[in-house]
Amino acid sequence: MFRALIVSLCLVLLSPALPASAASGRHVFGKYAFGESCQKLFTGPSFAEEKARPIWDPKYQMFGLVHDPEVTAQSRFTLHYDRDAKPNFEGVPLGRVYYGCDKATGRFSLVVMSHDLLAVPGLVRKATESFGPPTMTTMIQTIWNLPDLYVQIDQVYMIIYDTRAGKPGGAS
């Protein structure tokens, strides 16, 4: 009994410490923890910056991805992606994953995942397993508006936003 306690204590002391934000699987996407420095996470030869930007639509209470340069300047995010990645969400294949970085803080707080229409049922099923029943479902979108996360699945994108970084529209 005493020997087992000593071994357990040694394992705890020798295990690498996780940042507080990485301690919860809800606040990690793949190997990237929400709240980490984007400059640290998304640099290197395989990373690029996407021209499109996520914009929060206060009328419809949802994110949209915009390509118009005049409108993208209003977004509080920049998007980065790994050209070499073969992404998936809980085993459901994706097109590309864009990692959203808050322009003001330089912190990772948003993920935009492109997918095809056939992936929607699998994404909704996996998200429901991870986040519980959706808050709202319409013909074209499913939304989880949780205290710490906002998750949106539509016909083209799945978006996860860490609301600990502020309200989606920008006001805290």
Side-chain angles (χ1 to χ4, degrees):
M1 170 94 168
F2 182 70
R3 188 170 151 199
L5 182 61
I6 295 293
V7 170
S8 296
L9 182 59
C10 288
L11 288 174
V12 169
L13 293 175
L14 293 174
S15 66
L18 288 174
S21 60
S24 168
R26 289 169 61 108
H27 299 109
V28 176
F29 186 82
K31 60 184 176 182
Y32 305 114
F34 287 126
E36 292 289 322
S37 166
C38 288
Q39 187 174 20
K40 176 182 151 194
L41 297 178
F42 310 119
T43 58
S46 66
F47 278 98
E49 188 174 315
E50 172 63 26
K51 292 180 181 171
R53 299 285 186 261
I55 300 286
W56 178 255
D57 185 330
K59 179 179 178 185
Y60 295 106
Q61 296 290 299
M62 63 182 280
F63 279 105
L65 212 59
V66 179
H67 291 76
D68 179 348
E70 289 181 27
V71 178
T72 61
Q74 300 169 19
S75 176
R76 68 184 264 208
F77 303 99
T78 58
L79 296 178
H80 303 271
Y81 65 95
D82 186 341
R83 292 183 204 114
D84 300 334
K86 303 285 185 245
N88 73 74
F89 177 77
E90 302 285 328
V92 178
L94 300 169
R96 181 162 275 166
V97 174
Y98 302 96
Y99 303 98
C101 300
D102 190 295
K103 289 178 187 176
T105 66
R107 301 286 177 188
F108 170 49
S109 60
L110 178 110
V111 179
V112 178
M113 298 164 265
S114 67
H115 57 79
D116 64 29
L117 189 57
L118 297 175
V120 171
L123 291 172
V124 169
R125 185 178 66 256
K126 292 297 185 174
T128 301
E129 290 171 10
S130 296
F131 308 119
T135 307
M136 182 180 82
T137 303
T138 68
M139 266 178 57
I140 59 169
Q141 67 187 18
T142 305
I143 292 175
W144 290 259
N145 197 354
L146 308 170
D148 57 343
L149 293 175
Y150 170 86
V151 181
Q152 170 185 317
I153 299 174
D154 61 33
Q155 297 174 343
V156 182
Y157 298 107
M158 177 174 179
I159 298 173
I160 301 175
Y161 174 65
D162 181 6
T163 56
R164 297 175 305 165
K167 292 182 181 177
S172 294

